[in-house]
Amino acid sequence: MMKKSLIALLSLLSVSAIANSDLVLEGERWVAKHKGYVCAAFTDYTNAPATHNNMNVKFEKLSTDYTLDNILIKATFENVDGVECSYSSILFADNAASTIELVDSRAFSKVDASADCSEGKAILDDQLADNDYLYWGHPHHATIMVPASGAADVCGAEATHIGIDFMVYKKL
């Protein structure tokens, strides 16, 4: 009985450890740094959406595998209690159709294991769920056009989306 309890405890701890770590993209090849927010390709940088400002969202990087189809995004945000949460997501890009969709994501606090990061995760997941994906310029940019309230205030009366822009800076 003691042996089964120990195995169950170790299994639970390993599942918890996995849940409290960032997602990993096997075969990372290209890495891009977050440069800011744009209204469209080849436009000037603009303000972050209010939802990102309210949560103090900081995108760190976007990386892809050699196919450019599988994408990993890493970011941080603050939950409702002001605790920093780590966010990572795997997305699938259809480069021919210029679209991208969320496959999986994780959010957790590296500083407070009991912190609830679910609300911020849900907001980012909703924004990254299914969008246009722009690959443009030299140096190369990868921009994900996400729905954002206030987009019309920044990008024009008809705008409903703001682009989260990353610029490629190295090949692994």
Side-chain angles (χ1 to χ4, degrees), residues 147-160:
S149 61
D153 297 335
V154 177
C155 297
E158 302 298 316
T160 57

Side-chain angles (χ1 to χ4, degrees), residues 15 17-28 60-63 70-75 86-92 101-108 110 121 125 128:
V15 168
I18 290 170
N20 287 335
S21 63
D22 287 319
L23 292 169
V24 174
L25 178 64
E26 296 298 325
E28 275 182 307
E60 297 167 5
K61 73 172 193 170
L62 174 149
S63 59
N70 299 297
I71 295 172
L72 171 67
I73 292 178
K74 290 189 178 179
S86 179
Y87 177 84
S88 58
S89 59
I90 299 283
L91 300 104
F92 179 77
E101 64 184 45
L102 181 67
V103 174
D104 193 13
S105 70
R106 237 180 241 166
F108 64 96
K110 292 179 180 178
K121 177 186 179 299
D125 285 355
L128 293 170

Side-chain angles (χ1 to χ4, degrees), residues 66-81:
Y66 73 96
T67 69
L68 302 176
D69 293 335
N70 299 297
I71 295 172
L72 171 67
I73 292 178
K74 290 189 178 179
T76 61
F77 65 87
E78 291 179 4
N79 72 2
V80 295
D81 298 321

